[in-house]
Amino acid sequence: NHGGIMDSVELNVVPPARVEDVFVRPNWQTGEVKVQATARNASKTSVQTVVQFTIAQAASGKTVASLTLDRKLPPGDSQIDARLQVPGHRLWELNDPFLYRVTVRVSSRESKSFDEHSVRFGFRDFRFSEGCFRLNGRRIYFRCSHTGNNYPVGLKLPLDPDFLRRDLLNVKVMGFNSIRFIAGVATRGQLDLCDEIGLMVYQESYAAWLLADSPKMKERFDRSTREMILRDRNHPSLVMWGLLNETGDGPVFRHAVESLSLVRSLDDTRLVMLNSGRFDNQTGSSPLEVWRGTTGSDPNVTHNAM
């Protein structure tokens, strides 16, 4: 168990009409970008707003696509969907991890206040198809190690903050193309670095290992899984969600099996790993049979990691 604050915390002063979340779903083949923005109106009356979507190259800042919409926001949360086209889009590759940035800006017509939120993304596709892993349609050998993301003295907060970067740079230099954050999420800065150096990520939440059964087990598992996905689902380096590590059959395992619908409701773009290690002891059955037949409708789920 890890207690306390383990990453940076920001306190933002924002207007009543603001951007709460941005989810980017780029098409690596066509250059189309689907942006799903959640705008929150914290006031008690509707607000007339202008919503601006902008896509730029992350390094140069050059704008490559934009769209402006008029929206009346009722109190509460509203989902605003947009589609933009990036001409001559470049792919996110292991040796050329090209990044874009999408910015969503909500401006109130009445008060002239505004709020904006931006995230980086990349055009890439990672899947398991025809018996092998493929990145952007090309077969690759998935060379992956894993880390508990722990450090001397400070455990989760290293005495030398550069350890957080150095571990990942060393992984890349040693010839790995991916890293698994086992039983706990990476820091946001680490995922930013993986985006920049072309290092793929397989990530699990803190609920993935040694979560005890209790009346609140399902609530805790779902909250940990949900918050991990919502925080990190725009990172192009993140290619795989892991739900469990070395977990035998039982209430936690069964709930993880049932949680695929939750994962897919938050992100339908990534491969999902149910469990690492055959701790279910069902060695006489296909590894995917435990997933209640979902593999027929979703080829990007798998059961076992080596």
Side-chain angles (χ1 to χ4, degrees):
N1 293 327
H2 308 292
I5 296 174
M6 299 182 297
D7 202 350
S8 60
V9 177
E10 299 85 28
L11 178 63
N12 298 316
V13 179
V14 294
R18 59 183 184 267
V19 184
E20 191 68 16
D21 183 63
V22 177
F23 181 30
V24 185
R25 298 166 66 193
N27 187 311
W28 69 284
Q29 294 176 310
T30 67
E32 182 185 58
V33 181
K34 296 179 181 178
V35 184
Q36 178 182 304
T38 301
R40 175 166 297 175
N41 177 9
S43 65
K44 296 181 179 179
T45 59
S46 296
V47 177
Q48 192 66 42
T49 65
V50 176
V51 185
Q52 296 172 300
F53 297 85
T54 304
I55 297 178
Q57 296 178 359
S60 69
K62 179 183 177 182
T63 298
V64 294
S66 61
L67 177 68
T68 300
L69 302 173
D70 288 314
R71 284 290 185 272
K72 188 174 185 178
L73 301 180
D77 288 351
S78 299
Q79 181 175 308
I80 305 172
D81 296 318
R83 295 192 180 196
L84 298 92
Q85 186 70 36
V86 175
H89 67 289
R90 290 176 58 177
L91 299 181
W92 185 91
E93 301 276 10
L94 297 180
N95 296 319
D96 183 23
F98 198 85
L99 295 169
Y100 292 86
R101 181 178 296 277
V102 62
T103 302
V104 181
R105 178 182 176 121
V106 173
S107 305
S108 170
R109 288 190 179 277
E110 291 86 355
S111 67
K112 307 301 181 182
S113 63
F114 70 90
D115 180 52
E116 68 178 26
H117 183 66
S118 67
V119 296
R120 294 192 308 186
F121 72 94
F123 290 96
R124 70 104 183 92
D125 178 76
F126 180 80
R127 64 180 61 237
F128 184 78
S129 175
E130 299 177 7
C132 59
F133 291 105
R134 299 179 186 273
L135 178 65
N136 300 333
R138 297 193 307 274
R139 179 177 178 176
I140 66 169
Y141 188 80
F142 194 60
R143 297 189 298 273
C144 185
S145 183
H146 78 246
T147 175
N149 218 24
N150 297 328
Y151 302 91
V153 183
L155 188 63
K156 285 297 177 182
L157 291 175
L159 189 64
D160 180 354
D162 195 54
F163 282 166
L164 294 165
R165 292 174 50 86
R166 224 176 301 165
D167 274 1
L168 299 173
L169 292 171
N170 288 338
V171 167
K172 181 78 174 183
V173 169
M174 285 189 289
F176 293 96
N177 57 24
S178 53
I179 186 68
R180 174 187 175 200
F181 286 90
I182 181 174
V185 297
T187 67
R188 290 170 293 177
Q190 286 177 307
L191 291 179
D192 286 340
L193 178 63
C194 290
D195 292 342
E196 294 162 6
I197 65 176
L199 183 66
M200 296 183 292
V201 174
Y202 160 16
Q203 180 172 253
E204 299 166 5
S205 76
Y206 283 100
W209 197 29
L210 304 179
L211 179 66
D213 186 25
S214 73
K216 289 186 175 290
M217 179 271 291
K218 294 182 179 181
E219 175 187 338
R220 290 167 176 161
F221 185 94
D222 290 352
R223 182 176 65 246
S224 191
T225 302
R226 180 185 299 107
E227 292 183 359
M228 171 184 70
I229 295 173
L230 290 176
R231 192 195 73 165
D232 297 335
R233 60 185 177 175
N234 290 309
H235 287 278
S237 61
L238 209 159
V239 299
M240 189 185 307
W241 302 118
L243 300 184
L244 293 173
N245 173 65
E246 298 180 353
T247 301
D249 197 2
V252 177
F253 179 90
R254 293 292 160 176
H255 182 65
V257 170
E258 295 167 355
S259 71
L260 179 61
S261 58
L262 169 65
V263 175
R264 282 291 177 247
S265 71
L266 301 170
D267 177 23
D268 60 357
T269 68
R270 285 176 175 82
L271 196 148
V272 182
M273 187 73 68
L274 171 58
N275 194 27
S276 172
R278 291 312 304 268
F279 277 65
D280 56 12
N281 294 320
Q282 299 187 36
T283 55
S285 63
S286 164
L288 288 165
E289 288 177 4
V290 182
W291 204 293
R292 295 187 175 178
T294 57
T295 54
S297 58
D298 191 342
N300 280 331
V301 297
T302 187
H303 178 273
N304 184 48
M306 301 303 292

